[in-house]
Amino acid sequence: MLWCRCGVLLVLCICPLACLIPPPCPPGCCCPCPGFLVLCESLGLRSLPRSVPLSTSALSVARNQLCNVDHLLRPFSDLQELSLSHNLLARFPRGLPPSLESLLLQENRITYITSGALRQLGNLTRLDLEDNRIRAIQPGALQGLNKLQVLTLKGNQLTSLPVKLPLSLTHLDLSANCISVLDLPSLSALVNLQILKINSNCLRSVPESAFDSLPRLRSVDLTNNLWVCECDILYLYRWLLSGRLRMATDLVCSEPVHFAHRLLLNLSVMDICPRVLKPNERTQQLDLNSALERKLETLTAKPTGPSPFKNKRYLGNLSKRVSQKTTAGLLSNDAHKTRVLTDHYSLETLTYEECLSLNKTQSVSPLHLKTTTSIPDKEQNCRDNITGRSPHLNATSAEGTRSLLSTNRDASWPTPVPRPFTQDSAVVISLLAVLCVLVVLLMLAVLLVLKKVLLHQQRVAPLDVGSGE
């Protein structure tokens, strides 16, 4: 009985010590917050490290050679951020933990998305699938992601807008695909959408009232499409004049031939669609032309400057300058937000190189967004041969995805903030460890004394009985 009690006391002393000691970092990885943030990037891994702590909340295994991670991450019940970008995944990973809030899968080889792959990821707020080979997304595959706010499908092979997108979306990036038509029912359902990027596609026109049912929409990028400046584009033409959205005004016509390479806003309604004007609509045309003139006069800052009617590029240049100023303001706001979060580590603010330098210097300095190491030339050439893309296009894509989380940094999505271990925590852990060791030694000493007392009583008792007889 005494030994059982001593064993229980020993367990009670050792268990808190085991819980306070942080788990080890996997070989070759960087762990600024062991047990919370683990970065295992650019290590040539073909499988997940076995010694990653199950309590990890942010894990990055980007820039490796992973081909399949199905059901390997399910035990990580506390995992909130996961980066599997720049690997060799041929399909969407299965068996991911339901706790995930941010999932990054840029630059893999995924070709399609099925509904079963995302069925358990109801807590996702950000999903990045940039620069894959996605040709189709099964209808309703993303519908169950009721918390999804940021969806990036840039640089894939989509030919239409995905059907039944989550109503919670605020940022949608569909740029650099092959979309030729905007599906009005799918788009009008996104009542919370704020930013839409559908530039560098094959759009020829925008459906009537396409943006009317999106009350929170504040920014649309429609540049670098194949605009046909005819009657079907009048809705977009009026939207550009109204100024209700922050849109690039330098949209260039590609057809008909006599309007090729001309700015859309340099044309009049009569030029675009003369057949829609009936005799009783001449007055409306005059009003529209006068509105266009007032719009251009408002945009003209200096009277002595070049006239927008004489210089066709003036309006485009002016819109670019306005866009640059707006972007500068957004970047300054994001920089302020980043400075506020520099006291915490996450995949959003800490790259692999910064983590390594942090371990070398053993001092926490203000974190700035840096670029990660590029893919080796041999691997990049191999990827060029596989994807069939020209080297200069891949170089541009690589610059766009150089940073671990550079895509859509202006988006305001929630970021899980793990609690880091500080030097004070290490001192407290050391003191508790010493205290536990002293308690164990004291218990052992007490046990030895009790053992000697019991042995002495067992020897003395028979002598007393004999003398009594």
Side-chain angles (χ1 to χ4, degrees):
M1 180 65 68
L2 181 61
W3 288 104
C4 293
R5 293 178 180 177
C6 295
V8 171
L9 292 175
L10 187 61
V11 170
L12 293 176
C13 293
I14 294 177
C15 285
L17 180 62
C19 295
L20 291 173
I21 297 177
C25 186
C29 300
C30 183
C31 307
C33 302
F36 290 95
L37 175 60
V38 179
L39 303 178
C40 302
E41 300 178 7
S42 304
L43 300 177
L45 299 175
R46 296 182 180 274
S47 60
L48 291 176
R50 296 183 178 180
S51 55
V52 176
L54 295 179
S55 61
T56 301
S57 60
L59 173 63
S60 174
V61 286
R63 302 183 184 277
N64 286 289
Q65 301 179 21
L66 301 176
C67 297
N68 189 354
V69 294
D70 290 353
H71 306 288
L72 298 179
L73 294 165
R74 178 56 72 90
F76 294 83
S77 57
D78 295 330
L79 192 61
Q80 297 178 359
E81 295 181 82
L82 174 62
S83 175
L84 292 166
S85 59
H86 299 84
N87 278 284
L88 305 176
L89 300 177
R91 66 178 184 179
F92 196 94
R94 299 176 181 272
L96 295 176
S99 58
L100 273 182
E101 297 180 7
S102 176
L103 178 58
L104 308 180
L105 292 166
Q106 308 103 299
E107 293 216 22
N108 278 278
R109 300 176 180 178
I110 301 172
T111 56
Y112 60 91
I113 304 294
T114 61
S115 57
L118 296 133
R119 189 172 298 162
Q120 304 296 327
L121 302 180
N123 290 317
L124 267 187
T125 59
R126 183 189 181 196
L127 177 59
D128 196 331
L129 292 163
E130 179 180 347
D131 288 330
N132 277 272
R133 306 174 186 176
I134 300 175
R135 295 181 185 142
I137 297 179
Q138 186 176 355
L142 305 173
Q143 191 175 17
L145 307 181
N146 297 324
K147 296 182 180 180
L148 189 64
Q149 298 181 10
V150 181
L151 175 60
T152 303
L153 291 166
K154 177 182 178 181
N156 283 282
Q157 302 175 20
L158 296 173
T159 56
S160 62
L161 194 69
V163 180
K164 295 183 180 179
L165 290 172
L167 304 182
S168 57
L169 275 182
T170 60
H171 296 69
L172 177 60
D173 190 349
L174 294 167
S175 56
N177 277 277
C178 308
I179 299 175
S180 57
V181 178
L182 284 180
D183 183 49
L184 192 55
S186 299
L187 184 61
S188 59
L190 304 178
V191 293
N192 294 307
L193 192 63
Q194 299 178 15
I195 296 178
L196 174 62
K197 296 182 180 180
I198 196 166
N199 54 293
S200 303
N201 275 275
C202 303
L203 291 177
R204 299 169 65 86
S205 64
V206 173
E208 190 75 21
S209 68
F211 306 131
D212 293 347
S213 59
L214 306 178
R216 300 186 180 181
L217 190 64
R218 55 184 174 87
S219 177
V220 179
D221 191 349
L222 295 168
T223 56
N224 297 325
N225 278 283
L226 305 178
W227 300 115
V228 178
C229 296
E230 294 180 345
C231 297
D232 290 339
I233 208 170
L234 282 179
Y235 172 76
L236 178 60
Y237 180 80
R238 295 189 181 99
W239 263 100
L240 294 176
L241 290 178
S242 67
R244 281 180 278 181
L245 293 179
R246 194 176 72 208
M247 302 172 66
T249 56
D250 54 345
L251 301 186
V252 180
C253 302
S254 60
E255 295 182 20
V257 178
H258 56 281
F259 288 154
H261 309 296
R262 292 187 61 180
L263 292 177
L264 176 60
L265 284 185
N266 281 353
L267 305 176
S268 66
V269 176
M270 286 292 294
D271 295 332
I272 297 173
C273 188
R275 64 180 175 82
V276 300
L277 289 177
K278 299 178 182 178
N280 58 354
E281 295 178 348
R282 298 282 181 183
T283 306
Q284 297 180 3
Q285 166 61 19
L286 294 176
D287 294 340
L288 189 58
N289 289 337
S290 61
L292 176 59
E293 292 177 1
R294 288 195 299 270
K295 181 77 173 180
L296 294 175
E297 289 175 0
T298 304
L299 294 176
T300 306
K302 297 181 180 180
T304 58
S307 173
F309 296 102
K310 294 180 180 180
N311 187 359
K312 297 179 181 178
R313 298 182 180 178
Y314 175 78
L315 185 58
N317 295 333
L318 182 59
S319 64
K320 289 181 181 178
R321 289 198 295 269
V322 174
S323 178
Q324 289 173 358
K325 291 180 180 179
T326 305
T327 304
L330 292 175
L331 290 177
S332 63
N333 294 336
D334 289 344
H336 174 71
K337 293 179 182 178
T338 303
R339 286 195 295 271
V340 174
L341 296 175
T342 50
D343 295 335
H344 307 286
Y345 296 127
S346 69
L347 296 184
E348 302 285 344
T349 58
L350 186 65
T351 63
Y352 185 66
E353 287 75 14
E354 288 172 333
C355 180
L356 295 178
S357 62
L358 184 65
N359 287 345
K360 291 180 180 179
T361 57
Q362 295 182 355
S363 62
V364 180
S365 59
L367 300 176
H368 300 284
L369 302 177
K370 300 180 180 179
T371 56
T372 55
T373 55
S374 59
I375 305 176
D377 293 339
K378 183 176 180 181
E379 183 179 352
Q380 185 63 36
N381 293 335
C382 176
R383 184 171 298 170
D384 291 341
N385 293 335
I386 293 174
T387 59
R389 299 179 180 177
S390 58
H392 70 276
L393 288 178
N394 283 330
T396 304
S397 176
E399 290 178 1
T401 56
R402 186 78 61 181
S403 177
L404 174 63
L405 295 173
S406 62
T407 306
N408 289 335
R409 282 192 183 273
D410 59 339
S412 56
W413 53 83
T415 303
V417 180
R419 182 180 177 184
F421 279 95
T422 61
Q423 293 183 354
D424 295 338
S425 301
V427 173
V428 173
I429 291 174
S430 302
L431 292 176
L432 290 175
V434 173
L435 180 61
C436 289
V437 171
L438 293 176
V439 171
V440 171
L441 293 176
L442 181 62
M443 293 297 299
L444 291 176
V446 172
L447 289 176
L448 291 175
V449 172
L450 291 175
K451 182 178 180 181
K452 289 183 180 181
V453 171
L454 292 175
L455 291 176
H456 180 71
Q457 290 180 352
Q458 290 177 356
R459 292 176 180 176
V460 172
L463 294 176
D464 295 340
V465 174
S467 61
E469 291 177 354

